[in-house]
Amino acid sequence: MTTVKSMTAAILLTGGQGSRLGGCAKSLVLADGKPLVLRQLEALHSAGIGQIVVVTGFYHAQVKHLLDRSSAHAAWGPAVRVIQNPAPELGQQTSVLKGLEGLSAPYDVTLVVLVDQPLMTAGDYKECLDAYARRPSETSIAYPRVNGKRGNPVALSSAAVRAVLASGETCRDYIEGHPELVYQYTSQNAHFLSDLDTIADLENLRSQTGINLQLP
């Protein structure tokens, strides 16, 4: 029997340098004592994601060591595949392409997920999947808009993944070049906008949410 879990995938981007956050791995930032990458893996697994491709970059060794140490006793362990972007200095979009190339099979829907969104929960990812399922039939890409701002994650159909990889473009350029394929759904969920780019972002989220955010 085909299950929701077997039909869904996620690309979890952890490759950035974190230069505006003091030059540290965002994926290893601690939120209430747990690294963000582990929080994201737990949330994605609980949302029913069947495969999770973690794309590493500048901090590959540290992230891979953490995942190797944690996966044996974690429910998400069997779902995770780690791929290293050998040239993360070329930008986030190269990590997106590496992740899409690393999917083990065509999935009905693939979420492109940022590791530095500490407020994301399983319920938030389910909201994304539900919105994607309601998209107009002529569209194959979906993402949220909150208070007029574009949020994350982005959801791609298997056809959209194939088209992006065949296009020779980045995922972002492909999406911007094909607005007719995009379903922008309205949400009031501010979690889709929250991220950690700077020390000020970390301090603001800490004060607004009460989450104990600490640099690794």
Side-chain angles (χ1 to χ4, degrees):
M1 178 178 177
T2 301
T3 65
V4 172
K5 182 169 288 191
S6 70
M7 298 185 294
T8 60
I11 308 301
L12 180 57
L13 303 175
T14 73
Q17 191 171 14
S19 57
R20 291 188 289 163
L21 201 64
C24 69
K26 293 182 183 181
S27 54
L28 302 181
V29 168
L30 299 174
D32 290 337
K34 181 171 291 186
L36 291 185
V37 64
L38 299 187
R39 287 172 63 101
Q40 290 283 25
L41 290 173
E42 290 174 1
L44 289 165
H45 178 77
S46 295
I49 305 298
Q51 182 181 40
I52 307 167
V53 178
V54 178
V55 185
T56 63
F58 283 99
Y59 302 99
H60 168 75
Q62 296 96 311
V63 176
K64 182 71 161 55
H65 175 71
L66 174 65
L67 298 185
D68 287 346
R69 189 180 50 172
S70 304
S71 62
H73 53 81
W76 47 259
V80 171
R81 180 183 185 191
V82 179
I83 293 178
Q84 183 179 10
N85 179 357
E89 69 276 5
L90 297 181
Q92 185 186 83
Q93 289 300 306
T94 61
S95 290
V96 176
L97 291 176
K98 284 292 180 185
L100 296 179
E101 291 169 353
L103 292 170
S104 62
Y107 287 83
D108 285 353
V109 55
T110 298
L111 298 178
V112 179
V113 176
L114 309 180
V115 77
D116 65 336
Q117 291 192 293
L119 302 184
M120 293 293 289
T121 66
D124 297 328
Y125 290 120
K126 289 177 181 178
E127 180 181 335
C128 297
L129 294 172
D130 289 344
Y132 170 86
R134 299 193 306 269
R135 76 194 189 285
S137 59
E138 67 273 13
T139 63
S140 55
I141 300 163
Y143 58 77
R145 291 194 74 85
V146 182
N147 298 326
K149 298 179 181 179
R150 175 174 170 172
N152 284 293
V154 176
L156 305 169
S157 71
S158 59
V161 171
R162 289 193 301 271
V164 169
L165 293 177
S167 71
E169 300 178 281
T170 67
C171 186
R172 177 183 296 155
D173 287 343
Y174 181 85
I175 291 172
E176 290 179 353
H178 296 82
E180 74 282 1
L181 300 179
V182 178
Y183 172 50
Q184 301 183 46
Y185 57 94
T186 300
S187 174
Q188 302 302 313
N189 190 342
H191 292 186
F192 297 143
L193 297 181
S194 67
D195 61 13
L196 295 177
D197 285 331
T198 66
I199 296 295
D201 291 337
L202 185 148
E203 293 175 349
N204 288 338
L205 273 175
R206 181 191 291 148
S207 64
Q208 292 168 8
T209 66
I211 297 174
N212 183 16
L213 293 163
Q214 296 180 321
L215 296 179

